[in-house]
Amino acid sequence: MSVAPPDRIAIILVNYNGAADTIECVESIREMKKPRGGVVVYVVDNASLDDSLLCLRQWLEAAQSSDAVENVEQDAEIHGSQGDMRLVLLVSPDNRGFAAGCNLGLARAYSNPSVTHFWLLNNDTAVDPDAALQLLDSSKRHGDRSISGSTLVYYDDPNIVQAAAGARYVSWIGRSRHVFKMEHLADIVDRRAPAFDYIVGASMFFSRYVLETIGYLPERYFLYAEEADWCARARDNGIRLDWARGAVVLHKEGRSSGAEVRFERLGDDAFYFVSRNNLLYLWDRSRFFVLPSAAYSILQAFAYRLRGDRAKIAVAARAIRHFWRLRNQVEPLRMPSRSDINDKRTAT
């Protein structure tokens, strides 16, 4: 009788100009309880414009014996170890967006046949010691045919909920609402979550089966809406969206995307991508709501103007114009391949 291999989790973090946050996140992962097979952390530096890559390399080298650091493929990968946690620093030559950074880490992790589960985790987070095991239990409870989300709370006030794993999509405005957002953590302990439209991208946990069924994340969005699209594909394929209640993750929301704390005010880039990408998503999923969603973005821009931000009207117009130009472009579905494993020279 064959014995199933131990569970091993690959945690993928995308870093962009945020080395200090990334290091804090990895330090919290190091203190976390781990499955018998351990964890491998893949940090993808997404062509940072600051000294993030240098800081990450120096931190990795200082955190272990020098002979544990290995440069691979002309510094495309830097390997290291910290106790029962293996680290791989991946260097992206250019910034093609959040999903592309995640996919780079996922592809590298998938090439390691010992990895059974994947955890996409924002770099501006800190994890509770029980988070990984709670997420793993959630996945196994559904036969590894689910995408599980965490209880996301605000880093600056862990008693306040950012999202109970996922969100509901409000098509007529082209925006989403996080489940139990701004409620007290103690008040949702026994609450039943509604059916999710998607799992919030700050923490998404899934098995090899899920990745092999629905493929990699869509990259055309660059930033925002990719998890809504990916989870819609998952639901189309019978993948369940679940809430791992005990997997608490503290999140510094909006840290690297140009959104102020708790998304109370968006920078120009964040407003552009939110406006454009939700129109692209609706064009594929529910075209009836494209016009009201565009109108909502314009109304938001005028609301910003009343608060003294005159730039948002031009940003909204540019987002709508670019949506119209891109609306019929189809991104090929990228699926993991067994050859990815066979072609890889080493398994970390």
Side-chain angles (χ1 to χ4, degrees):
M1 180 177 177
S2 61
V3 178
D7 294 306
R8 194 178 201 198
I9 300 171
I11 304 175
I12 290 92
L13 309 177
V14 177
N15 177 82
Y16 181 70
N17 299 340
D21 286 334
T22 299
I23 291 169
E24 182 182 359
C25 180
V26 176
E27 292 286 3
S28 72
I29 292 170
R30 182 171 59 177
E31 300 301 321
M32 181 182 67
K33 297 174 186 175
K34 302 173 182 65
R36 188 161 56 92
V39 301
V40 187
V41 180
Y42 295 86
V43 176
V44 181
D45 185 72
N46 222 9
S48 293
L49 299 176
D50 63 2
D51 61 352
S52 280
L53 184 56
L54 176 62
C55 291
L56 290 169
R57 290 190 62 163
Q58 291 177 339
W59 168 77
L60 180 57
E61 292 169 358
Q64 66 212 338
S65 60
S66 59
D67 59 357
V69 178
E70 175 188 359
N71 292 333
V72 180
E73 298 176 3
Q74 297 180 345
D75 290 343
E77 298 183 9
I78 303 165
H79 297 199
S81 299
Q82 289 189 355
D84 59 353
M85 181 176 70
R86 183 76 175 163
L87 287 147
V88 181
L89 176 58
L90 303 173
V91 183
S92 176
D94 56 307
N95 180 5
R96 295 184 293 110
F98 175 73
C102 288
N103 287 342
L104 178 61
L106 281 172
R108 180 61 185 86
Y110 183 79
S111 74
N112 182 348
S114 70
V115 168
T116 59
H117 296 79
F118 308 88
W119 186 4
L120 298 180
L121 183 65
N122 269 26
N123 74 311
D124 59 346
T125 60
V127 301
D128 182 81
D130 293 321
L133 296 184
Q134 290 287 331
L135 287 162
L136 182 61
D137 180 68
S138 172
S139 180
K140 288 187 167 298
R141 195 164 57 245
H142 301 292
D144 279 335
R145 299 184 177 218
S146 66
I147 301 172
S148 297
S150 305
T151 300
L152 294 166
V153 297
Y154 288 106
Y155 183 90
D156 61 331
D157 190 349
N159 294 312
I160 303 299
V161 176
Q162 179 203 349
R168 299 286 295 177
Y169 198 80
V170 186
S171 296
W172 68 272
I173 61 172
R175 299 295 187 271
S176 58
R177 293 177 179 170
H178 290 181
V179 173
F180 303 150
K181 184 179 178 72
M182 299 303 294
E183 297 200 32
H184 284 84
L185 183 61
D187 294 338
I188 70 165
V189 172
D190 298 320
R191 297 271 295 276
R192 184 188 178 115
F196 301 113
D197 290 318
Y198 68 87
I199 298 299
V200 175
S203 177
M204 296 194 293
F205 187 96
F206 50 94
S207 67
R208 290 182 82 91
Y209 170 84
V210 171
L211 185 61
E212 291 172 348
T213 300
I214 64 176
Y216 294 109
L217 276 66
E219 297 183 6
R220 68 171 179 159
Y221 296 104
F222 192 84
L223 184 67
Y224 299 129
E226 57 275 303
E227 72 262 54
D229 190 324
W230 193 65
C231 287
R233 191 193 311 164
R235 290 187 286 107
D236 290 343
N237 283 275
I239 303 296
R240 182 186 176 95
L241 306 182
D242 192 44
W243 174 22
R245 292 172 180 264
V248 178
V249 172
L250 289 77
H251 187 204
K252 308 166 189 174
E253 186 182 34
R255 191 67 160 245
S256 62
S257 61
E260 291 186 7
V261 175
R262 302 183 188 179
F263 270 64
E264 294 173 356
R265 192 180 185 94
L266 298 178
D268 289 352
D269 286 345
F271 184 69
Y272 166 80
F273 285 117
V274 167
S275 300
R276 187 199 70 171
N277 291 351
N278 279 289
L279 290 171
L280 288 171
Y281 174 75
L282 287 169
W283 182 261
D284 289 344
R285 285 277 162 181
S286 189
R287 293 186 185 182
F288 178 82
F289 295 104
V290 165
L291 186 59
S293 176
Y296 183 77
S297 290
I298 293 170
L299 287 173
Q300 274 194 313
F302 274 102
Y304 273 103
R305 191 181 191 284
L306 292 175
R307 289 182 282 173
D309 186 344
R310 297 174 179 272
K312 290 296 190 296
I313 294 176
V315 173
R318 178 162 54 93
I320 294 169
R321 187 171 66 251
H322 289 180
F323 146 72
W324 191 251
R325 184 188 307 162
L326 298 170
R327 71 192 188 283
N328 290 322
Q329 290 187 6
V330 177
E331 179 181 351
L333 179 62
R334 285 186 56 216
M335 302 295 293
S337 168
R338 292 292 178 184
S339 63
D340 295 341
I341 300 173
N342 297 331
D343 292 344
K344 196 67 188 175
R345 292 171 298 175
T346 59
T348 303

